[in-house]
Amino acid sequence: MDRVSALVLIAEDEPEIAEIAAAYLEREGFRIVHASDGKTALELHLALKPDIVLLDVSMPRVDGWGVLAELRRRGDTPVIMTTALDQDIDKLQALRIGADDYVVKPYNPVEVVARVKAVLRRVAGSRAGGVIRVGRVEIDAESHLVAVRDGDSSTHLSLTLTEFRILAHMARAPMRVFSRGELVDACLPGAEALDRTVDSHLSKLRKKLEAAGAVGMLNGVRGVGYRLAELT
């Protein structure tokens, strides 16, 4: 994606913080739209379809958690959460609901610009040519082929349709923690939402990845769900 044309929605109720972030992003060629509360942020997202959202947790009308949950119901717009809450549980909550990244206030606006660029690059790369890459794993979404690269050689995986859907879905947001319910809704249409059903598919998928050399990529997060790590 050409960052000159990328539109950033800044959802932030503190004007000074929003102005500083906007100034630094505009300096790098981004277009900016600002919402001072969660309800306005959702309205602007629906109307303008921004390329990425910089989303504060503590906002009036609808808080950041509510906005993030609604954005994930609508689709996969990249979201970077910003908050003064420097607790692991809050970071985990953001990633569980579907944030692509997380920045703690007070933040360096230069770092925020770098994170926005990084997330947009990752999203653009995962969508280019229908091929999704996570570390050494390559997923061809059009031909339903999965390969694990090792230098100049590669090992192709034989996956069931459900295993492929799960892997491709998780690979579009590496490091994000997916709940079992999310994976059922996205990858097992019509299936019963049973934890053991998801666990069984993921257990088989993990064994196939590890057999091909992608050890440690698919991990369970206790009490939350599963995460696909970006290992090289």
Side-chain angles (χ1 to χ4, degrees):
M1 179 182 297
D2 182 357
R3 61 184 169 85
V4 173
S5 63
L7 176 63
V8 182
L9 168 56
I10 300 176
E12 170 62 63
D13 66 330
E14 297 186 45
E16 184 176 353
I17 293 177
E19 289 171 8
I20 292 173
Y24 275 79
L25 287 163
E26 287 176 333
R27 186 183 303 172
E28 293 296 312
F30 291 99
R31 294 178 295 131
I32 303 298
V33 62
H34 173 231
S36 58
D37 63 77
K39 187 173 184 297
T40 301
L42 289 171
E43 292 170 350
L44 289 174
H45 175 267
L46 197 60
L48 301 178
K49 295 181 172 52
D51 297 291
I52 190 168
V53 180
L54 193 60
L55 177 61
D56 183 36
V57 168
S58 301
M59 287 191 300
R61 302 179 80 184
V62 181
D63 67 14
W65 303 124
V67 173
L68 178 58
E70 176 59 26
L71 293 183
R72 282 297 159 260
R73 281 192 288 270
R74 294 178 181 180
D76 59 358
T77 302
V79 176
I80 298 176
M81 299 294 289
T82 66
T83 179
L85 304 174
D86 186 16
Q87 299 292 329
D88 288 341
I89 188 64
D90 297 302
K91 297 176 184 178
L92 188 60
Q93 170 81 346
L95 295 173
R96 184 187 69 79
I97 298 177
D100 295 87
D101 205 347
Y102 189 102
V103 183
V104 177
K105 296 178 182 178
Y107 54 68
N108 183 334
V110 174
E111 178 189 359
V112 171
V113 172
R115 287 177 181 252
V116 167
K117 291 179 182 178
V119 170
L120 287 174
R121 278 197 305 270
R122 189 173 73 197
V123 171
S126 69
R127 293 173 178 170
V131 176
I132 307 167
R133 295 180 177 85
V134 182
R136 294 188 291 116
V137 176
E138 294 186 357
I139 305 160
D140 190 322
E142 295 179 359
S143 64
H144 279 218
L145 295 175
V146 178
V148 177
R149 302 290 180 186
D150 185 7
D152 294 330
S153 63
S154 62
T155 301
H156 289 271
L157 275 63
S158 177
L159 303 182
T160 66
L161 178 58
T162 297
E163 290 166 356
F164 180 87
R165 283 174 175 168
I166 291 173
L167 180 61
H169 185 70
M170 297 180 72
R172 290 187 175 94
M175 299 307 296
R176 173 185 165 191
V177 180
F178 291 87
S179 70
R180 292 174 175 86
E182 287 178 293
L183 294 175
V184 167
D185 291 342
C187 307
L188 285 77
E192 293 184 7
L194 299 175
D195 287 354
R196 63 176 178 271
T197 301
V198 180
D199 291 342
S200 176
H201 287 298
L202 284 157
S203 176
K204 293 174 183 176
L205 176 58
R206 181 191 289 116
K207 290 177 181 177
K208 291 179 181 180
L209 285 168
E210 293 180 347
V215 178
M217 283 196 68
L218 183 57
N219 301 288
V221 178
R222 185 164 182 167
V224 183
Y226 291 89
R227 173 174 53 207
L228 190 67
E230 293 184 283
L231 301 182
T232 58

